Amino acid sequence: MIITNTHLRIISVVLAICLWLYIVTGEFQEISLYVPVKLTNIPEGSVAVTDENLINVMAKGPKFLVNNKQFNKVQIAIDVSRITSGTKSVYINPEDVQMPAGIEVTNIHPKTIDVTVDTLVKKQMKVAPTFVGEPMPGYKVGSVVIKPDTVEINAATSKIKGLRSIETMPVNLSGKKDPITYSIGLKFYEGIQKTTPEFVEVFVMFKEDIQQKTFHEIEVSPLGLQRGLTANVLTDFSLTVSGRSDLLNEQTIANVLNPHIDLSDVDSGGVYKRTVVFNDSKILKVLDVKPAKVRVEVQ
């Protein structure tokens, strides 16, 4: 059987009508998207920016279209060629949303956005590091080197007025004590169109966090006491030491410094005065003791 061109045309029309009927009468599905704003036709030598970079768009369409269409290229195109220098409120029409064919825009939020058109300026800007997290206990940031320490920005003149530096994205210091190097981007600033370069190197060196602290009512151990005798320290003893911050605690003082008095020359009961002595230590330094001598009762 031979199918003529006329038959093919009839079949095509029938299929098209069936498809149209399916679309019109088929099940619809609603979707919610966050759509980026693209500012177009920016005048030469100017820059255009908006506070609202993502717009919530509600749309609907036949279920089979919604499930099979790709929406990652959807955007809102705003023509700024007719905006004079300054800020203007722009209404977003459904037609501004570049949605795939067959998908209808049902709602836009917000419906208006402020668009600023300003003179484009090039400027050298200092780079400032930002950090998150805390180094390993007992350590702190020693030095920070940024290369390069300045970048060139292309920006809207009014938006960077008063801006003295550009911050990096946060550098994570959590649990660190050894030198680290990060290649990291710069924080987003409204009105800055471009930075050159886009990334900087951040070198961070750490050092021990040396502090001093005073401890009160420190336990003092009597040593060298002859058999059959007991001793009781009667004086409250205070001690000021310096060292790495994570080591400044009573347990480390007891284990490392071991505050004690020598009673090896005592052979009978009574009340004595003795100087508190300490073990030698490279990690803790004794700065002050009060009192200079403690009273001890021997029985």
mmCIF file of all heavy atoms in Angstrom, residues 29-75:
data_model
loop_
_atom_site.group_PDB
_atom_site.id
_atom_site.type_symbol
_atom_site.label_atom_id
_atom_site.label_comp_id
_atom_site.label_asym_id
_atom_site.label_seq_id
_atom_site.Cartn_x
_atom_site.Cartn_y
_atom_site.Cartn_z
ATOM 1 N N GLN A 29 0.757 20.527 36.404
ATOM 2 C CA GLN A 29 1.574 20.494 37.618
ATOM 3 C C GLN A 29 2.194 21.865 37.833
ATOM 4 O O GLN A 29 2.649 22.510 36.894
ATOM 5 C CB GLN A 29 2.671 19.426 37.495
ATOM 6 C CG GLN A 29 3.548 19.305 38.743
ATOM 7 C CD GLN A 29 4.514 18.142 38.627
ATOM 8 O OE1 GLN A 29 4.230 17.148 37.962
ATOM 9 N NE2 GLN A 29 5.658 18.265 39.265
ATOM 10 N N GLU A 30 2.212 22.292 39.104
ATOM 11 C CA GLU A 30 2.779 23.603 39.440
ATOM 12 C C GLU A 30 4.179 23.414 40.030
ATOM 13 O O GLU A 30 4.441 22.457 40.760
ATOM 14 C CB GLU A 30 1.882 24.343 40.432
ATOM 15 C CG GLU A 30 2.222 25.821 40.566
ATOM 16 C CD GLU A 30 1.161 26.588 41.333
ATOM 17 O OE1 GLU A 30 0.693 26.061 42.367
ATOM 18 O OE2 GLU A 30 0.804 27.697 40.919
ATOM 19 N N ILE A 31 5.084 24.344 39.692
ATOM 20 C CA ILE A 31 6.458 24.276 40.199
ATOM 21 C C ILE A 31 6.856 25.645 40.748
ATOM 22 O O ILE A 31 6.298 26.680 40.370
ATOM 23 C CB ILE A 31 7.458 23.853 39.102
ATOM 24 C CG1 ILE A 31 7.368 24.783 37.891
ATOM 25 C CG2 ILE A 31 7.278 22.410 38.710
ATOM 26 C CD1 ILE A 31 8.459 24.546 36.856
ATOM 27 N N SER A 32 7.833 25.620 41.657
ATOM 28 C CA SER A 32 8.386 26.851 42.222
ATOM 29 C C SER A 32 9.880 26.885 41.929
ATOM 30 O O SER A 32 10.596 25.913 42.205
ATOM 31 C CB SER A 32 8.140 26.904 43.734
ATOM 32 O OG SER A 32 8.770 28.035 44.308
ATOM 33 N N LEU A 33 10.341 27.991 41.368
ATOM 34 C CA LEU A 33 11.747 28.128 40.986
ATOM 35 C C LEU A 33 12.315 29.426 41.548
ATOM 36 O O LEU A 33 11.598 30.418 41.696
ATOM 37 C CB LEU A 33 11.906 28.148 39.461
ATOM 38 C CG LEU A 33 11.361 26.971 38.660
ATOM 39 C CD1 LEU A 33 11.406 27.304 37.175
ATOM 40 C CD2 LEU A 33 12.173 25.715 38.942
ATOM 41 N N TYR A 34 13.615 29.421 41.869
ATOM 42 C CA TYR A 34 14.341 30.648 42.175
ATOM 43 C C TYR A 34 15.185 30.989 40.963
ATOM 44 O O TYR A 34 16.118 30.270 40.613
ATOM 45 C CB TYR A 34 15.183 30.485 43.437
ATOM 46 C CG TYR A 34 14.348 30.561 44.693
ATOM 47 C CD1 TYR A 34 13.811 29.408 45.270
ATOM 48 C CD2 TYR A 34 14.051 31.797 45.270
ATOM 49 C CE1 TYR A 34 13.018 29.485 46.405
ATOM 50 C CE2 TYR A 34 13.253 31.880 46.411
ATOM 51 C CZ TYR A 34 12.747 30.725 46.971
ATOM 52 O OH TYR A 34 11.951 30.802 48.094
ATOM 53 N N VAL A 35 14.804 32.076 40.307
ATOM 54 C CA VAL A 35 15.334 32.394 38.983
ATOM 55 C C VAL A 35 16.299 33.578 39.080
ATOM 56 O O VAL A 35 15.969 34.605 39.677
ATOM 57 C CB VAL A 35 14.178 32.736 38.019
ATOM 58 C CG1 VAL A 35 14.712 33.084 36.637
ATOM 59 C CG2 VAL A 35 13.194 31.557 37.933
ATOM 60 N N PRO A 36 17.499 33.456 38.489
ATOM 61 C CA PRO A 36 18.455 34.567 38.524
ATOM 62 C C PRO A 36 18.033 35.713 37.616
ATOM 63 O O PRO A 36 17.375 35.507 36.590
ATOM 64 C CB PRO A 36 19.761 33.921 38.035
ATOM 65 C CG PRO A 36 19.316 32.773 37.193
ATOM 66 C CD PRO A 36 18.050 32.269 37.818
ATOM 67 N N VAL A 37 18.429 36.925 38.021
ATOM 68 C CA VAL A 37 18.143 38.121 37.225
ATOM 69 C C VAL A 37 19.362 38.434 36.367
ATOM 70 O O VAL A 37 20.487 38.476 36.852
ATOM 71 C CB VAL A 37 17.833 39.326 38.135
ATOM 72 C CG1 VAL A 37 17.683 40.601 37.304
ATOM 73 C CG2 VAL A 37 16.569 39.055 38.949
ATOM 74 N N LYS A 38 19.114 38.666 35.071
ATOM 75 C CA LYS A 38 20.175 39.075 34.163
ATOM 76 C C LYS A 38 19.859 40.467 33.630
ATOM 77 O O LYS A 38 18.818 40.684 33.014
ATOM 78 C CB LYS A 38 20.314 38.092 32.996
ATOM 79 C CG LYS A 38 21.440 38.470 32.033
ATOM 80 C CD LYS A 38 21.546 37.478 30.888
ATOM 81 C CE LYS A 38 22.679 37.870 29.935
ATOM 82 N NZ LYS A 38 22.784 36.941 28.788
ATOM 83 N N LEU A 39 20.738 41.418 33.915
ATOM 84 C CA LEU A 39 20.560 42.790 33.441
ATOM 85 C C LEU A 39 21.232 42.916 32.081
ATOM 86 O O LEU A 39 22.424 42.631 31.934
ATOM 87 C CB LEU A 39 21.160 43.779 34.449
ATOM 88 C CG LEU A 39 20.590 43.673 35.877
ATOM 89 C CD1 LEU A 39 21.286 44.663 36.800
ATOM 90 C CD2 LEU A 39 19.086 43.880 35.886
ATOM 91 N N THR A 40 20.461 43.327 31.080
ATOM 92 C CA THR A 40 20.960 43.355 29.705
ATOM 93 C C THR A 40 21.023 44.784 29.171
ATOM 94 O O THR A 40 20.440 45.711 29.727
ATOM 95 C CB THR A 40 20.060 42.510 28.791
ATOM 96 O OG1 THR A 40 18.747 43.096 28.752
ATOM 97 C CG2 THR A 40 19.957 41.077 29.289
ATOM 98 N N ASN A 41 21.748 44.920 28.046
ATOM 99 C CA ASN A 41 21.893 46.207 27.343
ATOM 100 C C ASN A 41 22.388 47.314 28.271
ATOM 101 O O ASN A 41 21.838 48.420 28.307
ATOM 102 C CB ASN A 41 20.566 46.617 26.691
ATOM 103 C CG ASN A 41 20.114 45.619 25.628
ATOM 104 O OD1 ASN A 41 20.944 45.083 24.890
ATOM 105 N ND2 ASN A 41 18.826 45.370 25.561
ATOM 106 N N ILE A 42 23.431 47.003 29.046
ATOM 107 C CA ILE A 42 24.033 47.986 29.951
ATOM 108 C C ILE A 42 24.819 48.997 29.122
ATOM 109 O O ILE A 42 25.659 48.606 28.298
ATOM 110 C CB ILE A 42 24.952 47.290 30.966
ATOM 111 C CG1 ILE A 42 24.146 46.267 31.782
ATOM 112 C CG2 ILE A 42 25.617 48.306 31.885
ATOM 113 C CD1 ILE A 42 24.999 45.379 32.670
ATOM 114 N N PRO A 43 24.588 50.299 29.306
ATOM 115 C CA PRO A 43 25.308 51.307 28.529
ATOM 116 C C PRO A 43 26.821 51.180 28.719
ATOM 117 O O PRO A 43 27.290 50.828 29.804
ATOM 118 C CB PRO A 43 24.793 52.636 29.098
ATOM 119 C CG PRO A 43 23.467 52.301 29.698
ATOM 120 C CD PRO A 43 23.593 50.899 30.205
ATOM 121 N N GLU A 44 27.568 51.455 27.670
ATOM 122 C CA GLU A 44 29.020 51.346 27.723
ATOM 123 C C GLU A 44 29.573 52.317 28.769
ATOM 124 O O GLU A 44 29.145 53.465 28.871
ATOM 125 C CB GLU A 44 29.623 51.661 26.355
ATOM 126 C CG GLU A 44 31.119 51.421 26.286
ATOM 127 C CD GLU A 44 31.670 51.637 24.883
ATOM 128 O OE1 GLU A 44 30.861 51.844 23.957
ATOM 129 O OE2 GLU A 44 32.892 51.606 24.729
ATOM 130 N N GLY A 45 30.523 51.834 29.550
ATOM 131 C CA GLY A 45 31.125 52.655 30.590
ATOM 132 C C GLY A 45 30.314 52.721 31.862
ATOM 133 O O GLY A 45 30.655 53.474 32.784
ATOM 134 N N SER A 46 29.243 51.926 31.923
ATOM 135 C CA SER A 46 28.397 51.907 33.117
ATOM 136 C C SER A 46 28.311 50.492 33.668
ATOM 137 O O SER A 46 28.733 49.525 33.031
ATOM 138 C CB SER A 46 26.984 52.424 32.798
ATOM 139 O OG SER A 46 27.020 53.760 32.361
ATOM 140 N N VAL A 47 27.740 50.380 34.841
ATOM 141 C CA VAL A 47 27.500 49.086 35.462
ATOM 142 C C VAL A 47 26.091 49.112 36.030
ATOM 143 O O VAL A 47 25.604 50.154 36.478
ATOM 144 C CB VAL A 47 28.540 48.791 36.568
ATOM 145 C CG1 VAL A 47 28.458 49.807 37.686
ATOM 146 C CG2 VAL A 47 28.367 47.382 37.116
ATOM 147 N N ALA A 48 25.406 47.975 35.984
ATOM 148 C CA ALA A 48 24.048 47.865 36.514
ATOM 149 C C ALA A 48 24.019 46.765 37.573
ATOM 150 O O ALA A 48 24.570 45.679 37.364
ATOM 151 C CB ALA A 48 23.052 47.561 35.401
ATOM 152 N N VAL A 49 23.404 47.060 38.706
ATOM 153 C CA VAL A 49 23.324 46.081 39.799
ATOM 154 C C VAL A 49 21.925 46.114 40.391
ATOM 155 O O VAL A 49 21.186 47.091 40.261
ATOM 156 C CB VAL A 49 24.359 46.377 40.905
ATOM 157 C CG1 VAL A 49 25.762 46.185 40.403
ATOM 158 C CG2 VAL A 49 24.171 47.783 41.458
ATOM 159 N N THR A 50 21.566 45.026 41.075
ATOM 160 C CA THR A 50 20.295 44.952 41.778
ATOM 161 C C THR A 50 20.489 44.196 43.075
ATOM 162 O O THR A 50 21.348 43.296 43.166
ATOM 163 C CB THR A 50 19.220 44.254 40.933
ATOM 164 O OG1 THR A 50 18.020 44.164 41.718
ATOM 165 C CG2 THR A 50 19.653 42.856 40.517
ATOM 166 N N ASP A 51 19.711 44.576 44.092
ATOM 167 C CA ASP A 51 19.780 43.877 45.381
ATOM 168 C C ASP A 51 19.176 42.483 45.298
ATOM 169 O O ASP A 51 19.544 41.590 46.047
ATOM 170 C CB ASP A 51 19.023 44.670 46.456
ATOM 171 C CG ASP A 51 19.717 45.980 46.784
ATOM 172 O OD1 ASP A 51 20.897 46.122 46.447
ATOM 173 O OD2 ASP A 51 19.060 46.866 47.368
ATOM 174 N N GLU A 52 18.211 42.307 44.400
ATOM 175 C CA GLU A 52 17.502 41.029 44.275
ATOM 176 C C GLU A 52 18.113 40.236 43.127
ATOM 177 O O GLU A 52 17.847 40.507 41.962
ATOM 178 C CB GLU A 52 16.010 41.262 44.004
ATOM 179 C CG GLU A 52 15.301 42.059 45.075
ATOM 180 C CD GLU A 52 15.066 41.248 46.336
ATOM 181 O OE1 GLU A 52 15.256 40.012 46.300
ATOM 182 O OE2 GLU A 52 14.691 41.852 47.348
ATOM 183 N N ASN A 53 18.949 39.253 43.462
ATOM 184 C CA ASN A 53 19.600 38.462 42.427
ATOM 185 C C ASN A 53 18.855 37.172 42.099
ATOM 186 O O ASN A 53 19.120 36.540 41.081
ATOM 187 C CB ASN A 53 21.039 38.139 42.846
ATOM 188 C CG ASN A 53 21.905 39.380 42.928
ATOM 189 O OD1 ASN A 53 22.129 40.045 41.930
ATOM 190 N ND2 ASN A 53 22.370 39.697 44.121
ATOM 191 N N LEU A 54 17.941 36.753 42.987
ATOM 192 C CA LEU A 54 17.124 35.562 42.752
ATOM 193 C C LEU A 54 15.665 35.916 43.008
ATOM 194 O O LEU A 54 15.326 36.481 44.054
ATOM 195 C CB LEU A 54 17.555 34.409 43.661
ATOM 196 C CG LEU A 54 18.877 33.717 43.325
ATOM 197 C CD1 LEU A 54 19.207 32.692 44.405
ATOM 198 C CD2 LEU A 54 18.820 33.046 41.959
ATOM 199 N N ILE A 55 14.809 35.584 42.049
ATOM 200 C CA ILE A 55 13.383 35.880 42.149
ATOM 201 C C ILE A 55 12.603 34.564 42.198
ATOM 202 O O ILE A 55 12.883 33.634 41.433
ATOM 203 C CB ILE A 55 12.911 36.704 40.927
ATOM 204 C CG1 ILE A 55 13.724 37.995 40.810
ATOM 205 C CG2 ILE A 55 11.428 36.999 41.023
ATOM 206 C CD1 ILE A 55 13.586 38.934 41.980
ATOM 207 N N ASN A 56 11.619 34.494 43.130
ATOM 208 C CA ASN A 56 10.779 33.303 43.235
ATOM 209 C C ASN A 56 9.683 33.355 42.165
ATOM 210 O O ASN A 56 8.873 34.278 42.133
ATOM 211 C CB ASN A 56 10.157 33.221 44.623
ATOM 212 C CG ASN A 56 9.330 31.962 44.821
ATOM 213 O OD1 ASN A 56 8.268 31.998 45.408
ATOM 214 N ND2 ASN A 56 9.806 30.836 44.315
ATOM 215 N N VAL A 57 9.696 32.362 41.284
ATOM 216 C CA VAL A 57 8.732 32.298 40.187
ATOM 217 C C VAL A 57 7.901 31.025 40.326
ATOM 218 O O VAL A 57 8.453 29.924 40.441
ATOM 219 C CB VAL A 57 9.439 32.315 38.821
ATOM 220 C CG1 VAL A 57 8.432 32.113 37.687
ATOM 221 C CG2 VAL A 57 10.191 33.627 38.629
ATOM 222 N N MET A 58 6.575 31.195 40.327
ATOM 223 C CA MET A 58 5.664 30.053 40.295
ATOM 224 C C MET A 58 5.195 29.877 38.850
ATOM 225 O O MET A 58 4.879 30.853 38.163
ATOM 226 C CB MET A 58 4.460 30.298 41.198
ATOM 227 C CG MET A 58 4.793 30.496 42.660
ATOM 228 S SD MET A 58 5.484 29.007 43.427
ATOM 229 C CE MET A 58 4.056 27.906 43.315
ATOM 230 N N ALA A 59 5.160 28.635 38.397
ATOM 231 C CA ALA A 59 4.747 28.346 37.019
ATOM 232 C C ALA A 59 3.996 27.029 36.993
ATOM 233 O O ALA A 59 4.057 26.228 37.927
ATOM 234 C CB ALA A 59 5.972 28.296 36.102
ATOM 235 N N LYS A 60 3.255 26.809 35.899
ATOM 236 C CA LYS A 60 2.546 25.546 35.750
ATOM 237 C C LYS A 60 2.586 25.127 34.286
ATOM 238 O O LYS A 60 2.815 25.928 33.374
ATOM 239 C CB LYS A 60 1.104 25.663 36.218
ATOM 240 C CG LYS A 60 0.214 26.536 35.333
ATOM 241 C CD LYS A 60 -1.216 26.528 35.828
ATOM 242 C CE LYS A 60 -2.119 27.383 34.912
ATOM 243 N NZ LYS A 60 -3.519 27.362 35.364
ATOM 244 N N GLY A 61 2.377 23.845 34.076
ATOM 245 C CA GLY A 61 2.352 23.301 32.733
ATOM 246 C C GLY A 61 1.923 21.855 32.770
ATOM 247 O O GLY A 61 1.757 21.266 33.848
ATOM 248 N N PRO A 62 1.694 21.254 31.614
ATOM 249 C CA PRO A 62 1.341 19.831 31.568
ATOM 250 C C PRO A 62 2.392 19.005 32.315
ATOM 251 O O PRO A 62 3.586 19.285 32.236
ATOM 252 C CB PRO A 62 1.334 19.518 30.075
ATOM 253 C CG PRO A 62 1.074 20.844 29.420
ATOM 254 C CD PRO A 62 1.758 21.855 30.269
ATOM 255 N N LYS A 63 1.925 18.030 33.046
ATOM 256 C CA LYS A 63 2.813 17.251 33.900
ATOM 257 C C LYS A 63 3.974 16.649 33.120
ATOM 258 O O LYS A 63 5.110 16.650 33.582
ATOM 259 C CB LYS A 63 2.008 16.156 34.599
ATOM 260 C CG LYS A 63 2.787 15.431 35.691
ATOM 261 C CD LYS A 63 1.872 14.496 36.470
ATOM 262 C CE LYS A 63 2.639 13.829 37.598
ATOM 263 N NZ LYS A 63 1.768 12.932 38.396
ATOM 264 N N PHE A 64 3.695 16.165 31.918
ATOM 265 C CA PHE A 64 4.770 15.517 31.155
ATOM 266 C C PHE A 64 5.824 16.533 30.719
ATOM 267 O O PHE A 64 7.006 16.214 30.607
ATOM 268 C CB PHE A 64 4.186 14.757 29.947
ATOM 269 C CG PHE A 64 3.978 15.596 28.718
ATOM 270 C CD1 PHE A 64 4.915 15.615 27.697
ATOM 271 C CD2 PHE A 64 2.825 16.382 28.586
ATOM 272 C CE1 PHE A 64 4.712 16.386 26.565
ATOM 273 C CE2 PHE A 64 2.625 17.142 27.464
ATOM 274 C CZ PHE A 64 3.566 17.157 26.442
ATOM 275 N N LEU A 65 5.399 17.794 30.485
ATOM 276 C CA LEU A 65 6.368 18.827 30.128
ATOM 277 C C LEU A 65 7.198 19.229 31.341
ATOM 278 O O LEU A 65 8.426 19.375 31.252
ATOM 279 C CB LEU A 65 5.647 20.060 29.568
ATOM 280 C CG LEU A 65 5.265 20.056 28.090
ATOM 281 C CD1 LEU A 65 4.587 21.361 27.719
ATOM 282 C CD2 LEU A 65 6.493 19.837 27.211
ATOM 283 N N VAL A 66 6.529 19.417 32.490
ATOM 284 C CA VAL A 66 7.238 19.816 33.708
ATOM 285 C C VAL A 66 8.277 18.775 34.104
ATOM 286 O O VAL A 66 9.389 19.099 34.508
ATOM 287 C CB VAL A 66 6.232 20.052 34.858
ATOM 288 C CG1 VAL A 66 6.962 20.268 36.188
ATOM 289 C CG2 VAL A 66 5.340 21.241 34.552
ATOM 290 N N ASN A 67 7.926 17.513 33.950
ATOM 291 C CA ASN A 67 8.832 16.440 34.364
ATOM 292 C C ASN A 67 9.985 16.242 33.386
ATOM 293 O O ASN A 67 11.018 15.674 33.765
ATOM 294 C CB ASN A 67 8.068 15.119 34.512
ATOM 295 C CG ASN A 67 7.127 15.144 35.703
ATOM 296 O OD1 ASN A 67 7.334 15.913 36.635
ATOM 297 N ND2 ASN A 67 6.092 14.321 35.661
ATOM 298 N N ASN A 68 9.835 16.692 32.168
ATOM 299 C CA ASN A 68 10.850 16.423 31.148
ATOM 300 C C ASN A 68 11.645 17.655 30.727
ATOM 301 O O ASN A 68 12.632 17.528 29.999
ATOM 302 C CB ASN A 68 10.205 15.793 29.907
ATOM 303 C CG ASN A 68 9.717 14.380 30.169
ATOM 304 O OD1 ASN A 68 10.500 13.441 30.224
ATOM 305 N ND2 ASN A 68 8.416 14.231 30.362
ATOM 306 N N LYS A 69 11.246 18.834 31.175
ATOM 307 C CA LYS A 69 11.960 20.044 30.800
ATOM 308 C C LYS A 69 13.096 20.323 31.789
ATOM 309 O O LYS A 69 13.014 19.993 32.970
ATOM 310 C CB LYS A 69 11.006 21.246 30.772
ATOM 311 C CG LYS A 69 10.042 21.244 29.575
ATOM 312 C CD LYS A 69 10.787 21.503 28.269
ATOM 313 C CE LYS A 69 9.810 21.625 27.104
ATOM 314 N NZ LYS A 69 10.510 21.841 25.821
ATOM 315 N N GLN A 70 14.162 20.941 31.295
ATOM 316 C CA GLN A 70 15.266 21.382 32.129
ATOM 317 C C GLN A 70 15.073 22.860 32.454
ATOM 318 O O GLN A 70 14.878 23.673 31.564
ATOM 319 C CB GLN A 70 16.606 21.170 31.408
ATOM 320 C CG GLN A 70 16.918 19.719 31.090
ATOM 321 C CD GLN A 70 17.108 18.896 32.351
ATOM 322 O OE1 GLN A 70 17.700 19.362 33.322
ATOM 323 N NE2 GLN A 70 16.589 17.672 32.342
ATOM 324 N N PHE A 71 15.133 23.220 33.747
ATOM 325 C CA PHE A 71 14.850 24.586 34.156
ATOM 326 C C PHE A 71 16.096 25.329 34.652
ATOM 327 O O PHE A 71 15.985 26.430 35.164
ATOM 328 C CB PHE A 71 13.783 24.585 35.259
ATOM 329 C CG PHE A 71 12.446 24.093 34.789
ATOM 330 C CD1 PHE A 71 12.081 22.761 34.944
ATOM 331 C CD2 PHE A 71 11.552 24.954 34.172
ATOM 332 C CE1 PHE A 71 10.855 22.298 34.509
ATOM 333 C CE2 PHE A 71 10.311 24.498 33.726
ATOM 334 C CZ PHE A 71 9.958 23.173 33.889
ATOM 335 N N ASN A 72 17.284 24.718 34.496
ATOM 336 C CA ASN A 72 18.495 25.370 35.000
ATOM 337 C C ASN A 72 18.922 26.565 34.153
ATOM 338 O O ASN A 72 19.768 27.352 34.573
ATOM 339 C CB ASN A 72 19.639 24.363 35.108
ATOM 340 C CG ASN A 72 19.936 23.675 33.793
ATOM 341 O OD1 ASN A 72 19.079 23.606 32.922
ATOM 342 N ND2 ASN A 72 21.145 23.160 33.641
ATOM 343 N N LYS A 73 18.343 26.713 32.966
ATOM 344 C CA LYS A 73 18.694 27.858 32.119
ATOM 345 C C LYS A 73 17.654 28.972 32.154
ATOM 346 O O LYS A 73 17.764 29.958 31.432
ATOM 347 C CB LYS A 73 18.904 27.385 30.671
ATOM 348 C CG LYS A 73 20.117 26.478 30.490
ATOM 349 C CD LYS A 73 20.332 26.113 29.026
ATOM 350 C CE LYS A 73 21.564 25.232 28.863
ATOM 351 N NZ LYS A 73 21.788 24.879 27.427
ATOM 352 N N VAL A 74 16.644 28.807 32.994
ATOM 353 C CA VAL A 74 15.613 29.831 33.110
ATOM 354 C C VAL A 74 16.213 31.079 33.759
ATOM 355 O O VAL A 74 16.958 30.987 34.746
ATOM 356 C CB VAL A 74 14.424 29.319 33.946
ATOM 357 C CG1 VAL A 74 13.401 30.424 34.169
ATOM 358 C CG2 VAL A 74 13.776 28.137 33.262
ATOM 359 N N GLN A 75 15.923 32.246 33.208
ATOM 360 C CA GLN A 75 16.394 33.496 33.792
ATOM 361 C C GLN A 75 15.402 34.612 33.511
ATOM 362 O O GLN A 75 14.485 34.469 32.700
ATOM 363 C CB GLN A 75 17.772 33.869 33.239
ATOM 364 C CG GLN A 75 17.789 34.118 31.736
ATOM 365 C CD GLN A 75 19.195 34.443 31.229
ATOM 366 O OE1 GLN A 75 20.180 34.270 31.923
ATOM 367 N NE2 GLN A 75 19.276 34.938 30.004
#
